[in-house]
Amino acid sequence: MAIQILAPEVASQIAAGEVVERPASVVKELIENALDAGATQIHIQCLSAGKKLIEVSDNGEGIAGEELPLAVLRHATSKINSAQDLWRITTLGFRGEALASIGSIARLTITSRTRQAEVGYRLIVEGGSEPQIQATGAPHGTTVRVEDLFFNVPARRKFLKSDPTERQRIDAVVVDYALAFPRVQFQLMQDGRLSFASSGNGERREILASLMGVDEARQLIEVNYEDSDFRIGGLISPPGLTRSNRREIHLFVNRRPIQDSLLTSAVLQAYHTLIMVGRFPLVWLFIEIDPQKVDVNVHPAKAEVRFANPGQMFGLIQHVVRRTLVAGSSLSVFPAMPNPPVWQPPFDEIQSARSEVVQGTTTSSPPVPHPETELPTLNQKIPLLRWIGQVANTYIIAEGPDGLYLIDQHAAHERVLFERFLRQSQTTITSQKLLQPSLLTLSSAQAALFEEQIPILNRLGFEIVPFGLNTFQVRALPSFFAGVDGALAVRATIEDFEENEEPLKRETEKRLIARICKRIAVKAGQSLSPEEQKALLRELEDCQSPRTCPHGRPTMIHLSVDLLERQFGRRGAI
Ligand SMILES: Nc1ncnc2c1ncn2[C@@H]1O[C@H](COP(=O)(O)OP(=O)(O)O)[C@@H](O)[C@H]1O
Ligand SMILES: [Mg+2]
């Protein structure tokens, strides 16, 4: 379709608002244009966090010379022309506003050549001036240069964050589109340095590996769901891989990165009880849905969408993520669960569940389970175990009625300590005075952090009092921690805080206790007497969620009799 100016009645139906808020918004709009033009290679160059220069070059279809002046007019677009088109949008752009807005607040140069054209054309607009156009030699495709952003609206510059922050936002935009379009090759240079590159080979995991490292990227579980109305793909972290904030939950609808608090909470619900409170999964979900069932014309930056049936989307996302998690974790953590939930694939199928598309029902309505009720849980209780021995001073071997259990003594002890706390916190927490109070001296930064925790700790049964400059005295411990080193336990509450981790108001107590449990639990490699090992097993049997530690890592590997028979080739033998 050629570029044309939308009729006023169509233009007036487009969500109003500012498109260009910051350099990253320019990068986003220009990348979207390149993708809509069918580019397979997109190069982005920024100087001074995009304030001095943003240049995006693509090898897409280009803009014809005679249409070039139209491209920078408001409500001029080649992507829709009627109001009905707003309900069948398959392109990323449709508002016809980005280039016009950019041209009014920066020095904009567009150089473009279509495949058919002998020459290219260059158009220049400075702060909303009359466009100047001239013929020029140019490769096929389009290069858009945006210099001195906000040069004529200095007030807008004041709202920008520091250069590193603005640079990070640009990085994030490029990464989002590289993941949404893994077959397109992206390259981002910031101040002459390569900041990000993707190969365009279609492998999302490879892109993530370049960002988070191979080890973590390898752990991500593939999501693959399809029914007659939806397709959902992507990668999600197993319960053991989490972050301290929800920034790594990324949602895309029809390849458009979106913010959606409802779907984010559906994802969190799916992880509920599998990961500790205060921890968040890493999620990249790509949802494909009929464009008629989703309104993208809600937000000027196209960052939000409205679903025709939000409740159905919530249920679907929660179900798909949960199901993927259980199938993914079953393989490595709990090969066979007693009484598997109805829909859970038998063990043979779990092997292939990771790679195969999980087929949904063939009826037109997707399975939308009632939140919570149908969700399976990994944290079932364990049967009574008979202690057999220990390997590497780390793993306890035990036998149950349904096979062999290998138990990680550290993770198991963490769980046991944590549940002692949970049980006590339902009644009144009692303290136990230390015969010899311990002293704790901290750096002044740590001391400041620690002082904030003291009231919470004292409520939990500790007795901690300031004892001079940056020094504290631990006089009593909650009785569920009887016998542990007081200073060690308390120190755990301020160590290893992850960057940006802030105590969460409602969840602080559990989080603090989980940190303490991790610190004081018996270590891997620590030798335990048979009696101590047996006592640990007894306590673990009593736990509500014995199969994971409070941080969500597995405490045990269960090798069922069934699995052993298969592995030894006995199944079916005479
Ligand atoms: N990189 C590009 N390659 C080809 N055409 C482009 C490119 N950038 C912009 N255009 C053309 O300019 C028009 C206006 O772009 P824009 O202002 O971003 O509005 P929209 O993308 O909403 O249509 C687009 O509809 C498209 O026809
Ligand atoms: Mg656009």
Side-chain angles (χ1 to χ4, degrees):
M1 204 191 301
I3 304 182
Q4 45 193 320
I5 304 207
L6 292 174
E9 64 274 17
V10 183
S12 66
Q13 288 191 31
I14 287 180
E18 198 45 64
V19 184
V20 181
E21 233 184 319
R22 50 183 6 105
S25 356
V26 173
V27 173
K28 171 186 155 78
E29 293 295 334
L30 299 184
I31 290 179
E32 289 193 351
N33 282 347
L35 290 167
D36 283 344
T40 55
Q41 283 179 345
I42 302 179
H43 286 195
I44 303 127
Q45 211 199 118
C46 296
L47 295 180
S48 304
K51 289 186 254 176
K52 204 166 150 50
L53 172 76
I54 296 168
E55 186 183 87
V56 176
S57 309
D58 68 59
N59 64 347
E61 65 189 11
I63 308 174
E66 64 277 13
E67 291 182 30
L68 202 45
L70 282 175
V72 293
L73 296 184
R74 214 162 276 278
H75 299 309
T77 179
S78 56
K79 301 171 193 174
I80 63 168
N81 69 36
S82 70
Q84 287 81 28
D85 288 348
L86 283 171
W87 285 99
R88 40 179 181 244
I89 290 169
T90 53
T91 48
L92 294 163
F94 60 88
R95 303 169 50 91
E97 276 186 333
L99 292 180
S101 305
I102 296 168
S104 68
I105 47 165
R107 301 180 218 281
L108 169 68
T109 310
I110 308 175
T111 310
S112 192
R113 183 174 155 209
T114 59
R115 297 223 165 261
Q116 305 75 27
E118 299 277 300
V119 290
Y121 291 88
R122 171 167 301 154
L123 173 142
I124 300 179
V125 182
E126 295 202 349
S129 68
E130 196 56 35
Q132 305 296 312
I133 184 162
Q134 65 186 73
T136 178
H140 293 300
T142 305
T143 296
V144 180
R145 252 179 106 81
V146 179
E147 286 163 283
D148 303 324
L149 185 64
F150 300 136
F151 77 96
N152 53 352
V153 265
R156 299 276 293 281
R157 280 204 164 215
K158 294 211 187 83
F159 285 101
L160 299 185
K161 299 271 183 329
S162 67
D163 279 10
T165 306
E166 295 294 342
R167 265 198 294 272
Q168 265 173 26
R169 294 190 181 195
I170 294 173
D171 284 345
V173 165
V174 178
V175 169
D176 271 355
Y177 285 94
L179 287 166
F181 292 79
R183 298 234 160 254
V184 176
Q185 201 182 78
F186 284 81
Q187 189 188 69
L188 168 66
M189 307 286 296
Q190 299 236 43
D191 295 313
R193 271 192 37 252
L194 180 68
S195 187
F196 170 79
S198 69
S199 68
N201 69 357
E203 282 297 326
R204 291 192 173 121
R205 198 186 290 271
E206 189 180 294
I207 298 175
L208 291 172
S210 75
L211 302 170
M212 59 200 276
V214 178
D215 283 349
E216 285 194 348
R218 200 181 280 146
Q219 296 177 46
L220 298 173
I221 311 170
E222 227 162 274
V223 180
N224 239 327
Y225 173 88
E226 194 172 348
D227 67 31
S228 51
D229 291 327
F230 302 95
R231 215 164 50 222
I232 302 176
L235 291 160
I236 64 175
S237 58
L241 178 61
T242 59
R243 293 283 188 265
S244 58
N245 57 56
R246 58 185 74 195
R247 251 172 272 156
E248 297 297 359
I249 302 180
H250 303 264
L251 303 171
F252 299 76
V253 172
N254 294 343
R255 309 233 251 179
R256 191 188 293 282
I258 57 144
Q259 312 285 335
D260 190 300
S261 51
L262 187 74
L263 295 193
T264 304
S265 60
V267 168
L268 294 176
Q269 280 282 329
Y271 277 88
H272 186 58
T273 74
L274 299 183
I275 59 183
M276 212 189 97
V277 281
R279 303 295 299 176
F280 298 90
L282 295 83
V283 170
W284 289 267
L285 275 191
F286 301 86
I287 304 162
E288 282 177 49
I289 169 175
D290 177 352
Q292 305 213 17
K293 298 220 171 96
V294 56
D295 184 2
V296 290
N297 181 25
V298 215
H299 189 268
K302 297 165 287 184
E304 286 168 23
V305 297
R306 201 179 289 134
F307 295 102
N309 189 344
Q312 182 193 33
M313 286 309 296
F314 182 95
L316 178 70
I317 295 297
Q318 186 193 28
H319 179 70
V320 169
V321 171
R322 186 72 170 202
R323 162 163 155 161
T324 307
L325 274 176
V326 172
S329 320
S330 303
L331 187 61
S332 51
V333 186
F334 319 122
M337 289 198 291
N339 309 320
V342 216
W343 50 266
Q344 200 213 352
F347 181 65
D348 275 349
E349 287 160 37
I350 293 173
Q351 299 268 20
S352 49
R354 283 179 154 182
S355 48
E356 270 174 26
V357 170
V358 182
Q359 288 292 335
T361 53
T362 46
T363 59
S364 59
S365 58
V368 180
H370 187 270
E372 299 291 352
T373 50
E374 281 184 39
L375 295 175
T377 168
L378 295 181
N379 280 331
Q380 290 156 327
K381 295 201 68 159
I382 48 169
L384 295 183
L385 300 177
R386 183 175 71 85
W387 176 79
I388 298 176
Q390 195 193 29
V391 211
N393 275 345
T394 300
Y395 306 105
I396 300 172
I397 312 169
E399 184 194 5
D402 50 354
L404 183 74
Y405 287 77
L406 268 176
I407 293 154
D408 178 321
Q409 66 186 34
H410 169 70
H413 194 211
E414 254 185 280
R415 166 54 68 186
V416 163
L417 291 169
F418 186 64
E419 293 216 359
R420 272 193 217 161
F421 153 72
L422 289 181
R423 273 195 299 275
Q424 277 237 347
S425 64
Q426 281 162 7
T427 56
T428 29
I429 293 179
T430 51
S431 297
Q432 196 168 67
K433 287 260 183 231
L434 294 176
L435 289 178
Q436 189 140 38
S438 21
L439 278 186
L440 180 71
T441 302
L442 304 170
S443 72
S444 55
Q446 282 179 324
L449 190 61
F450 185 61
E451 261 168 28
E452 289 172 26
Q453 324 266 25
I454 292 179
I456 306 165
L457 290 169
N458 286 348
R459 223 170 31 244
L460 289 171
F462 288 85
E463 190 186 329
I464 299 162
V465 290
F467 206 73
L469 186 66
N470 300 335
T471 301
F472 304 86
Q473 192 183 45
V474 185
R475 294 182 179 165
L477 290 179
S479 42
F480 51 84
F481 282 154
V484 310
D485 174 345
L488 186 74
V490 166
R491 195 179 270 280
T493 62
I494 43 151
E495 280 176 347
D496 314 319
F497 263 93
E498 283 187 32
E499 200 193 350
N500 294 330
E501 192 180 0
E502 288 164 18
L504 298 172
K505 279 165 206 68
R506 203 167 42 80
E507 293 156 353
T508 314
E509 296 186 359
K510 269 194 186 167
R511 272 243 310 264
L512 278 179
I513 294 291
R515 292 170 70 85
I516 298 174
C517 294
K518 181 176 166 64
R519 187 62 199 264
I520 62 181
V522 296
K523 298 285 169 292
Q526 186 172 334
S527 97
L528 295 180
S529 70
E531 279 59 45
E532 286 171 316
Q533 296 174 38
K534 287 176 192 167
L536 183 55
L537 289 183
R538 294 293 84 80
E539 287 211 73
L540 194 61
E541 288 161 9
D542 285 341
C543 286
Q544 291 301 315
S545 306
R547 292 171 191 261
T548 51
C549 82
H551 296 87
R553 278 185 295 279
T555 53
M556 62 182 66
I557 294 175
H558 170 203
L559 304 173
S560 67
V561 174
D562 186 52
L563 174 74
L564 293 174
E565 286 188 345
R566 281 166 205 261
Q567 295 289 323
F568 285 108
R570 296 179 132 271
R571 187 46 69 84
I574 307 161

